[in-house]
Amino acid sequence: MEGLLPRRPRGDGVTSEVALLGIRHHGPSSARAVAAALARWRPDAVLIEGPPEADAIVHLAAEKDLVPPVALLAHAVDDPARAAFWPYAEFSPEWVAIRHAVDHDLPVRFIDLPAGYGFAPEEGTEAEGTEEDGAREGAEPVADPLALLAEAAGHDDAERWWEDVVEHRAPGGDALAPFAAVAEAMGALRAEGLGESRRDRLREAHMRQQIRAARRAGHRRIAVVCGAFHVPALERMPTVAHDRALLAGLPKKVRTDITWVPWTHRRLSRSTGYGAGVQSPGWYHHLFTTDGDPVPRWLTRAAELLRAEDHPVSSAHVIEAVRLAETLAVLRGRPLAGLTETLDAVRAVLCEGSDVALELVRDRLVVGDALGEVPDAAPAVPLQRDLTRLQRSLRLKPEAVPKDVDLDLRKDTDAARSRLLHRLRLLGVDWGVPARSSVNSTGTFRESWRLCWQPEFAVRIAEAAQWGTTVEEAAVNKAVGTARAAEELAELTGLVETCLLAGLSGALPAVMRVLADCAALDTDVAHLAGALPALVRALRYGDVRGTDHGALAEAASGLAERICVGLPPACVGLDAQGAEAMRGRLDEVHGAIGLLAAGPAASATTEDAAVEEAAEGTAPDPDGLAGLADRWAAALRSLARREPAGGPATGAPGLLRGRAVRLLLDDGRLDSEEAGRRLRLVLSVANAPADAAGWVEGFLTGGGALLLHDPRLLALLDEWLTGVSGEVFTDVLPLLRRTFAGLEAGVRTTIGGRVAAGPLGELPAARAESGELDRARADAAVPVVALLLGLRPTIPRQAAGRDT
């Protein structure tokens, strides 16, 4: 291995010395070795594997506000969705080389194939989407060099082999020796033609051209930091004509923009699909930043984490865990306790055998959620700068750790935060997603969000920049463009709801015009039913958000009227799948019409606004809204009467008829006597058992407590079930099981107990005839009721007489 480093690549007559520092991306040992080699060798130029477009912004690494993990983001100017990332952590050798160069005021250049070539579609293919580390999806598959070396050494775990031979070895006196050893191993692989691809050969040809350019510029001591796999190809330089011939077949380079963006340790993990990722970025960060033995300090951090999560962990646990990790390393013949031994000690001692607690340590410490920072001086599209301004003014800091936020929309700051999050979701940036509130509130003035910033949002923001230079302008233009391209009515009503939530008053008129045109042409009742709920929900936001909803109310009322007319015939002849889908729409429309029929008081922003709407003639007509509820009830009655007299195709499915009856019963438009009569007719012998089972399912959906409050209905159902023949019972069993599985657990238990207690048909009739009160059972409940009401319990007179 003598003479490998430093050396002059063979095949060139220039006398410059070139040190080829072959590294593993994101390897802490490689990062230390690079720092030591650069400090000892003192080059006058540093060349790094990476996109040459970044030469213009590499100086920003000297800014204290550029805190790793960060990434270079390159994207095509005309199509920002075509993008690639080059991530760097504090323990990345490339980052160490960059910092050495800027700290010592040395020229630093990136020498990989320009990103613009990677974004250009190859002949016969289309341009591809987001890439990481410049690795094009769909490229010819290549083997993992480390896996091949580990296999040759008799190891089945490449990560563990690398830790043993590199990460856990103490640095020696020769800072360049590790690079010589790794280069020799990679040379053996390349000599066998293992792991190579056409793209690698093109990249290496471009790297050689850049090395030649650096030597022509007069540099005499050049350090090249690149993946160890490329070192053999850079050591033996072919002729210039050879490399030019290789690069002649490249497609036309695409115009590209590049900048620094924040990155996370989690996105450095191989589990996210990052080809050059590592399994334990958080652990590697700890190894790189900790002097001395890293195991005790890491186990101390694990103990702090577990204590914060209410796990009983003491200092004695940490001491014993350190001993166990070191003992395991000795037993397994490893130079130092690695991550495997450390996690085994954590599981056995700190977590007391719990894999749940161990998974917490893996997630928070082994992988981690560290989020980098970039300075304001980094290039950015105007939309990104406006978003950064809003994040600061609204005090919403991007964080990689999920965070739940409750917003009170009656407060100006919270309302502005809500509008920002809704606008970003419209632009495809799901920084916040609606979450279940930790505060029990059903009012429309409260929203709950879960915030979690992802590095790829930088690409989506760049892509959304085509719609405008500010978040509001981009959201307005995106909403209008989406409305004009919409093909379904439900998509438009959902967009209207989003516009109201996001406060996009500039987009609402255009969206409403498209909605009105689409609603007038759409005759499918299912589409109308799917569109109404979102429109009615939007009306409810007026109280808090102060929006003008006169046009919304008019559109919603028109849709509701058409649904009332067209629903019953639209339900005729539906199959099982269609009936199930229609039942969901039926429930949603029922709730929507209930809100819509509540009148203008439920949707007017203020009393003055309601008076103004009435004066201008834009307020909804109270009589019309009340009549809407009656017309909806009439539509449900018509649906309930559409029985399949001449076969299934001539009537509505039992599922929908039963559901209509239940909705009428819950609204008080049908009494229990009539509901019982309809149930008795459906369960008669004249009706098909499958249709009857569907009717029961629709009737009981949403709660089976009705059967407990009215024992007659339960008795009718029990009588029908016991009278069904064995062959038919097998056919209807799946429907019945699905029906009763949807009931509450307590309701199912009580129903089962009553059925098991004996005949159900005698009890209601007997009590109805006698009309007597069971005083003994009533007296037994008196003390409990008195205690609940805070009254002094009294002994019933009859009970007192018996005691005396």
Side-chain angles (χ1 to χ4, degrees), residues 667-728:
D667 278 357
R669 294 180 179 272
L670 199 70
D671 56 27
S672 59
E673 292 286 343
E674 178 62 18
R677 185 186 72 83
R678 291 177 180 267
L679 177 61
R680 189 179 302 109
L681 291 175
V682 169
L683 300 181
S684 64
V685 180
N687 287 332
D691 183 73
W695 198 99
V696 171
E697 180 183 1
F699 186 72
L700 296 182
T701 297
L706 183 66
L707 297 177
L708 303 180
H709 297 314
D710 194 340
R712 290 171 298 179
L713 299 179
L714 180 59
L716 288 173
L717 184 59
D718 179 63
E719 180 182 358
W720 173 73
L721 277 175
T722 55
V724 173
S725 63
E727 297 81 1
V728 176

Side-chain angles (χ1 to χ4, degrees), residues 635-687:
L636 292 177
R637 289 193 183 94
S638 176
L639 174 59
R641 290 194 299 266
R642 290 182 179 264
E643 300 179 358
T650 62
L655 178 69
L656 299 179
R657 302 197 325 273
R659 192 64 193 146
V661 172
R662 177 60 184 270
L663 294 177
L664 290 170
L665 178 63
D666 290 344
D667 278 357
R669 294 180 179 272
L670 199 70
D671 56 27
S672 59
E673 292 286 343
E674 178 62 18
R677 185 186 72 83
R678 291 177 180 267
L679 177 61
R680 189 179 302 109
L681 291 175
V682 169
L683 300 181
S684 64
V685 180
N687 287 332

Side-chain angles (χ1 to χ4, degrees), residues 518-549:
C518 186
L521 299 175
D522 200 330
T523 59
D524 191 327
V525 174
H527 291 171
L528 300 178
L532 181 64
L535 205 56
V536 174
R537 282 196 305 269
L539 286 170
R540 302 183 64 203
Y541 304 137
D543 293 341
V544 176
R545 301 177 185 271
T547 54
D548 180 12
H549 46 73

Side-chain angles (χ1 to χ4, degrees), residues 169-238:
R169 297 293 179 183
D174 187 356
L176 301 177
F179 300 106
V182 173
E184 183 179 16
M186 292 299 172
L189 285 179
R190 298 295 294 264
E192 299 294 332
L194 299 176
E196 292 186 4
S197 69
R198 178 179 178 273
R199 183 172 178 80
D200 283 331
R201 291 189 289 273
L202 291 173
R203 295 171 62 195
E204 290 160 356
H206 191 272
M207 292 181 193
R208 290 191 292 264
Q209 293 283 62
Q210 296 302 307
I211 294 174
R212 295 185 182 104
R215 294 163 63 187
R216 288 195 301 270
H219 299 296
R220 290 296 177 262
R221 297 175 66 83
I222 304 170
V224 179
V225 180
C226 63
F229 184 73
H230 303 299
V231 169
L234 301 184
E235 178 188 3
R236 298 180 177 272
M237 281 203 171

